[in-house]
Amino acid sequence: MAYRARRGKEPRPSERAAEAAVDEELPQPPRRDRDFGVFWVAQTLSVLGDSFALIALPLLVLHATGSVAQMGLLTAVGGAASVVAGVFAGVVVDRVDRRKLLVTCDLVRMALYAVIPLVWVFGPRIWLLYVVLPLCEAVGMLFSVAYVTVVRNLVGVERITEANGRLNATAAAAGVAGPVCAGLVAAWFGPAAAVGVDAASFGVSAVCVGFVRFKGSTRPAPVPASGAGAGAVRRLWTDLLAGVSFLVRHPVLRVLTVLLSFFSFLTLGLNDLLIYHLKHDLGRDDAAVGTVFAVGALGTIAGALLVARVRRRLGFGPTWIGSVAVCGCALAGLGWARSVPAVAALTAVFLGFGSVAGTCSMSLRQEVTPEHLLGRVTSAFWTLHYSAAPAGAAVLTWAAGRHGTAVAGAIAGACCALVAVLALLTPVRRPRTDGAG
């Protein structure tokens, strides 16, 4: 309450009325908001479904062909479809009702994945996987961009960071639980049954989103046409550049996009580096690898749950810069760690503070971007700052194989710390950025 009784005196009726009015204007904390809770469940189920597919579909290929090359090819085709869809996802999200798009994406993925176990009853059809997975990955990218755009309509600007933290925490948990559950279902009933469970998860998610009551319209305001004589290609090109243009004009998002591009370039290969260090340098088995990643997921969850509190206390700039600096220190020490517990602890630190930095940057974009541009800005941001990351992963793993994980990790970590130092010289350092404190 805005008013607290002092010295045993009760507030006057006028004060109680004013107090009630203030309370009605403030949005409910996400943990008490029924609609956010339903949306939270839907998003967790979607992530769970995606993580099921990561295990179940490669297992289907392996069981049917015994070829690791086929597994890799299927993963590559799905990834390429996701990247291509990401370029156009923002344009679609900013043109349609976002709530209906979320439901449609879940229903489409449910239908596509449900076809696989039905067909597999009559025997393996590998070609079907090369049709279903790219389509599902493309639809999944649409869902991801749309989900980011509706959070503000659900909880209000004041609660965005807390809401994103909770969503990211359960997404991390689902990302760990999904492959484990998929492996168990595949072991007991076969990989086709695991794909069936995957399909069911999307169906339940669609139902949950259908019951969510958003506080504002989920249909963006109409975007002005590029001109009466503008052709379809020109209008599409203008739409694609609108998100990039906003990022370039905004002083904080412009710098943040560049800095995160370097950070992603340096860190995308972390998983490969960890596995190589544990298996090659320390001579550990797959169980040790699983343990390290499980502990790392706990770090991600902890960071996601704490980010709102930390940002309220320190502000955006100190929180983001400090998190990136800690990530750099943890990465620099990973290659020198000689025991599984030490590697696991550093991994948890890296992923935990990485979660804090990522949640802060996503929340800032949601806070400062106009509603009608939010889809295109999100899509442009993801495309730009991840575009060079695969090359960075290749460089990091090459350096680890050539010079050792200790040297490769130390150099990458030092460069991450340098990113934090450079941020101190930019508008990112401010605790508040256009009102986003």
Side-chain angles (χ1 to χ4, degrees):
M1 291 292 188
Y3 174 90
R4 291 289 182 270
R6 293 180 176 86
R7 299 181 184 177
K9 295 182 179 179
E10 290 294 326
R12 293 189 298 271
S14 59
E15 292 170 334
R16 286 198 297 267
E19 183 179 291
V22 170
D23 286 348
E24 288 177 1
E25 291 175 3
L26 291 175
Q28 287 291 323
R31 63 182 178 275
R32 299 178 185 173
D33 190 320
R34 171 260 182 199
D35 292 300
F36 175 78
V38 175
F39 182 78
W40 193 358
V41 170
Q43 171 61 11
T44 302
L45 287 171
S46 283
V47 174
L48 191 65
D50 287 334
S51 58
F52 249 73
L54 289 176
I55 298 296
L57 294 184
L59 282 177
L60 276 177
V61 175
L62 186 62
H63 283 202
T65 68
S67 170
V68 68
Q70 287 271 18
M71 295 170 65
L73 180 60
L74 180 63
T75 301
V77 169
S82 180
V83 171
V84 172
V87 176
F88 301 96
V91 176
V92 176
V93 169
D94 285 342
R95 288 292 188 276
V96 301
D97 188 305
R98 292 161 178 171
R99 172 181 177 167
K100 293 179 180 178
L101 181 62
L102 289 172
V103 173
T104 301
C105 287
D106 274 337
L107 291 177
V108 168
R109 287 186 288 180
M110 178 190 71
L112 288 171
Y113 280 127
V115 170
I116 294 175
L118 294 176
V119 171
W120 239 251
V121 171
F122 304 98
R125 299 290 187 273
I126 298 301
W127 63 266
L128 180 63
L129 302 183
Y130 284 95
V131 174
V132 169
L133 183 61
L135 289 174
C136 287
E137 288 293 307
V139 173
M141 176 57 71
L142 273 174
F143 182 95
S144 296
V145 175
Y147 132 73
V148 170
T149 64
V150 299
V151 173
R152 184 165 65 186
N153 297 101
L154 192 60
V155 298
V157 174
E158 299 86 354
R159 305 291 185 182
I160 282 181
T161 303
E162 183 180 353
N164 284 332
R166 292 176 180 276
L167 289 166
N168 291 342
T170 50
V176 174
V180 173
C181 295
L184 292 175
V185 173
W188 291 339
F189 306 105
V195 178
V197 174
D198 180 15
S201 72
F202 289 118
V204 178
S205 173
V207 172
C208 289
V209 175
F211 279 106
V212 174
R213 297 170 301 182
F214 290 92
K215 295 176 175 60
S217 173
T218 54
R219 178 179 289 277
V223 180
S226 302
V233 174
R234 180 182 172 186
R235 288 196 298 271
L236 176 61
W237 182 246
T238 301
D239 282 342
L240 291 174
L241 290 181
V244 177
S245 177
F246 181 83
L247 290 174
V248 171
R249 293 196 309 270
H250 194 281
V252 177
L253 292 183
R254 177 177 63 242
V255 176
L256 201 60
T257 303
V258 174
L259 294 176
L260 274 172
S261 298
F262 283 110
F263 186 77
S264 297
F265 179 88
L266 295 165
T267 61
L268 186 64
L270 174 66
N271 288 355
D272 296 327
L273 187 72
L274 280 172
I275 293 171
Y276 184 78
H277 181 54
L278 290 166
K279 302 279 287 185
H280 180 267
D281 299 343
L282 304 185
R284 300 293 183 169
D285 58 13
D286 291 343
V289 175
T291 299
V292 167
F293 280 102
V295 174
L298 293 177
T300 302
I301 294 169
L305 293 176
L306 292 173
V307 60
R309 185 179 306 173
V310 175
R311 187 182 173 189
R312 278 196 298 268
R313 176 180 289 270
L314 301 180
F316 174 83
T319 300
W320 190 87
I321 293 172
S323 297
V324 170
V326 174
C327 285
C329 294
L331 179 57
L334 274 172
W336 302 96
R338 308 311 300 177
S339 68
V340 172
V343 174
L346 288 171
T347 302
V349 170
F350 179 92
L351 294 178
F353 281 90
S355 177
V356 171
T359 303
C360 276
S361 65
M362 181 169 68
S363 301
L364 177 65
R365 291 196 312 277
Q366 291 166 315
E367 291 162 356
V368 302
T369 305
E371 185 70 24
H372 71 280
L373 279 174
L374 191 49
R376 282 167 287 175
V377 169
T378 299
S379 183
F381 185 86
W382 286 353
T383 301
L384 289 174
H385 98 261
Y386 277 123
S387 57
V395 171
L396 182 64
T397 51
W398 172 85
R402 185 71 178 269
H403 303 289
T405 54
V407 173
I411 293 175
C415 291
C416 287
L418 179 60
V419 168
V421 172
L422 291 175
L424 291 171
L425 307 177
T426 71
V428 173
R429 71 180 184 275
R430 294 197 295 265
R432 299 181 66 84
T433 49
D434 290 351

